[in-house]
Amino acid sequence: MAVGHVTADVLSVDAPAGERQADGTRAAGAARRPGGGAFYSGLQAARLGLRTLLITRGSPAELDELLEPYREEFEVRVFPAERTTTLSTSWPGGVRTQQVLAWAGPITERLQLDTSILHFAPVARETPSSWHGRAEFVGLTPQGLIREWDEHGQISLRPPAADSLPERCDALVLSAAERESCAGLLADAATRGATVAVTDGARPTTLLLPDGKVMHTPVPVGEHPRDDLGAGDVFAAAFFIALRDGQDPGQAAAYASAAAAIRIEGDGPSAIGERNAIERRIAAS
């Protein structure tokens, strides 16, 4: 179960080459597609064979249209809002930047859950910190908790509110760029015995273990990277699932890195791999 805004991602004309036709123009459908941590994480979980539910907030009609190509793969529960959270993404100078064009608002409705894995995947400070019911394993990708934006939609990072960490958290995944802003969250997570993975692109993933030890796991070398939207969320889903299935953190990180590599080497959400593809990628590493 993934909780967070499914977004409308608007890609700019300077998108990576993988988003373009051979003549350099944008591929059909590349200008606007579904996104957000809950979407990418949920789609990866579904392709690993889990029955998956996304809980989100936004315009039902717009989300229906965005998610239509994937609706056979997971279930969706939409809390209605006037607008869907919309992010503009561009790559000036090859560096990805995003801007908030619209926000669906916080998810304030009561969450009644019964799930093996609960993934809080905020993109814009929308997820609650509590729920009712059963969740065997709770994971968090805190990216959206540290974002704030001005009246022009320009995004900056700041430490999250003290009460933003879920009431229970077994594992966190964040990027190296987010680590400083998440220092308070990491300290809180350490006191709760959570496992933390810090990804850093092609550099080794850093694992902060509950016993205080630090590990570094290598990342598969990608031969033809295309675009990395959602790669961190794909990593998180595979990491949480592997930990829940009993893999040790090092094994889980290797599995998650293979899943992320498959995503990066393809175009868009459709590139997210199934279990056999991830296993082949690990065997080839």
Side-chain angles (χ1 to χ4, degrees), residues 39-124:
F39 168 69
Y40 280 103
S41 170
L43 187 56
Q44 179 63 86
R47 292 186 178 175
L48 289 175
L50 278 70
R51 182 185 176 195
T52 302
L53 172 66
L54 311 187
I55 298 178
T56 189
R57 184 173 180 83
S59 165
E62 185 174 14
L63 289 172
D64 279 346
E65 181 180 356
L66 285 167
L67 295 174
E68 180 58 34
Y70 310 97
R71 289 303 293 269
E72 297 301 317
E73 300 193 65
F74 47 64
E75 301 174 49
V76 182
R77 182 183 305 163
V78 178
F79 295 121
E82 290 186 6
R83 299 183 292 178
T84 296
T85 294
T86 304
L87 300 178
S88 171
T89 304
S90 59
W91 286 261
V95 178
R96 187 176 77 189
T97 63
Q98 291 185 305
Q99 181 179 2
V100 178
L101 303 181
W103 186 52
I107 298 173
T108 58
E109 291 81 358
R110 174 187 174 100
L111 298 183
Q112 185 67 46
L113 311 179
D114 184 7
T115 184
S116 59
I117 299 175
L118 171 60
H119 178 191
F120 283 107
V123 296

Side-chain angles (χ1 to χ4, degrees), residues 267-282:
D267 292 333
S270 297
I272 293 174
E274 298 182 349
R275 190 177 295 272
N276 58 357
I278 296 172
E279 292 171 353
R280 288 196 301 269
R281 190 70 174 77
I282 292 173

